Amino acid sequence: MTSSIVNISHVGSQILIYLCILLMLLISLTIHELGHFTFAKIFKVNVKEFSIGVGPCLMRHTNKQGMRVSFRLIPLMAYVMLDSTRIRKLYADEKDDKDYKWWMSKPPKGKLLLEQTKIWQYLLIMFGGVLFNITLFLLMYAPLFYWYQHLHLVFAPFPAIGEAFVNIGKNMAFIGKGDVFDPAQIDTIIKSHQWALILLSFLAQMNLITFIFNLIPLPPLDGWKMLSYGIQKGTKKEMNDKVEITLTIIVLVLFLYIFVSGIVCDFIRH
């Protein structure tokens, strides 16, 4: 009976930890999109939508300039949709779509399409997301390190994340033997009731992970957007939409597989 109670308690702790991770990931992704949004506003780019979550819309507010702020059903990501000639081309043949008039409406006076910005402005808008992530991480690093020292734990996110990437690779092959998040440290913090520390720690690490991942030059990540834009400007040729969409789907499926395989391996080990 005691063993059963311990196992249930441990499974409950695991589920709670994953929920905390998902919440902090959503916050870090929202901060990331806020970086894009901020620089888009600075350079007068027309922002069509700022969405927290994906999928069916739960709540939506549209301001006087036609920008939507949305809250959607699936809280796994966030996004900012910037007005652009590319988006307008995609909607040009979708006259039956309920959002057709909204997408094709003329930008407010003084607002630009994304492609009308200067090269350095475009790149800074794309870089703004990771800039916000790494800035928040650096601001959080010192107080987290101090608190961890007083709990006799060491906040060392760089080695921890390096080890996490190794474990992610093992999990994908279902041969993982280590945890992406150290259960000994998590258990210690849970027992000390330092929930604020848990959430702040995860938020710092999620911001660092978001920063690292988004610099990878694969669609739909920011590293790819900056690289492909540079290639387009250098070659004077647009990227093939079908190829980019195919690569985007492959990368998204890969990320989903990484997430699911990690959870499966974690529960199998325990």
Side-chain angles (χ1 to χ4, degrees):
M1 177 66 75
T2 304
S3 176
S4 174
I5 293 173
V6 171
N7 287 336
I8 292 172
S9 176
H10 183 74
V11 171
S13 295
Q14 283 182 290
I15 293 172
L16 186 58
I17 291 301
Y18 279 118
L19 289 175
C20 289
I21 292 170
L22 287 175
L23 175 62
M24 294 304 104
L25 177 60
L26 178 62
I27 292 175
S28 70
L29 291 174
T30 302
I31 291 167
H32 178 88
E33 295 304 321
L34 185 62
H36 295 310
F37 174 82
T38 300
F39 283 99
K41 283 293 187 180
I42 290 172
F43 299 130
K44 309 297 183 183
V45 174
N46 185 34
V47 180
K48 299 296 288 186
E49 183 176 10
F50 191 120
S51 178
I52 298 175
V54 292
C57 187
L58 299 176
M59 291 175 49
R60 175 181 288 163
H61 171 73
T62 304
N63 66 16
K64 293 180 180 180
Q65 294 186 324
M67 188 192 86
R68 293 174 174 175
V69 178
S70 306
F71 294 89
R72 297 181 179 271
L73 180 62
I74 306 173
L76 293 180
M77 63 179 291
Y79 65 84
V80 170
M81 195 67 71
L82 304 179
D83 202 353
S84 67
T85 55
R86 188 173 187 183
I87 291 292
R88 289 171 179 268
K89 285 180 182 178
L90 292 174
Y91 268 89
D93 298 325
E94 303 293 332
K95 294 184 179 180
D96 294 331
D97 191 292
K98 64 178 182 179
D99 286 330
Y100 175 79
K101 290 184 178 179
W102 175 71
W103 274 114
M104 303 303 288
S105 62
K106 187 177 179 181
K109 185 177 180 181
K111 296 294 184 179
L112 305 173
L113 300 181
L114 181 60
E115 292 84 357
Q116 293 175 324
T117 57
K118 297 176 181 179
I119 295 177
W120 66 271
Q121 292 174 332
Y122 181 100
L123 294 175
L124 195 50
I125 290 170
M126 293 300 108
F127 188 71
V130 294
L131 179 61
F132 269 44
N133 288 132
I134 195 63
T135 299
L136 181 59
F137 168 78
L138 292 173
L139 289 173
M140 296 177 70
Y141 183 86
L144 279 171
F145 184 83
Y146 174 81
W147 289 331
Y148 265 74
Q149 288 290 336
H150 280 68
L151 285 173
H152 306 292
L153 299 169
V154 178
F155 182 61
F158 295 105
I161 289 176
E163 184 179 348
F165 276 102
V166 173
N167 288 329
I168 284 171
K170 292 179 179 179
N171 289 340
M172 291 173 67
F174 292 96
I175 58 173
K177 295 183 179 179
D179 295 274
V180 173
F181 294 93
D182 186 350
Q185 290 197 1
I186 290 172
D187 288 343
T188 302
I189 298 170
I190 289 175
K191 290 175 182 177
S192 67
H193 303 292
Q194 297 288 333
W195 285 103
L197 184 58
I198 292 176
L199 295 176
L200 288 174
S201 173
F202 284 155
L203 181 58
Q205 294 189 58
M206 288 301 105
N207 272 277
L208 182 58
I209 289 171
T210 303
F211 168 79
I212 294 170
F213 262 105
N214 270 279
L215 290 178
I216 298 173
L218 289 173
L221 303 175
D222 295 331
W224 169 263
K225 292 175 183 177
M226 290 185 281
L227 176 63
S228 63
Y229 184 75
I231 293 173
Q232 287 180 49
K233 288 297 181 181
T235 62
K236 306 297 182 182
K237 295 181 180 179
E238 292 189 4
M239 301 295 291
N240 188 301
D241 287 338
K242 291 183 178 179
V243 172
E244 187 166 355
I245 290 172
T246 301
L247 287 173
T248 298
I249 293 172
I250 292 172
V251 171
L252 291 176
V253 170
L254 177 62
F255 284 168
L256 180 62
Y257 177 68
I258 289 171
F259 181 72
V260 172
S261 64
I263 293 177
V264 171
C265 285
D266 195 30
F267 276 97
I268 288 174
R269 285 194 297 270
H270 299 95

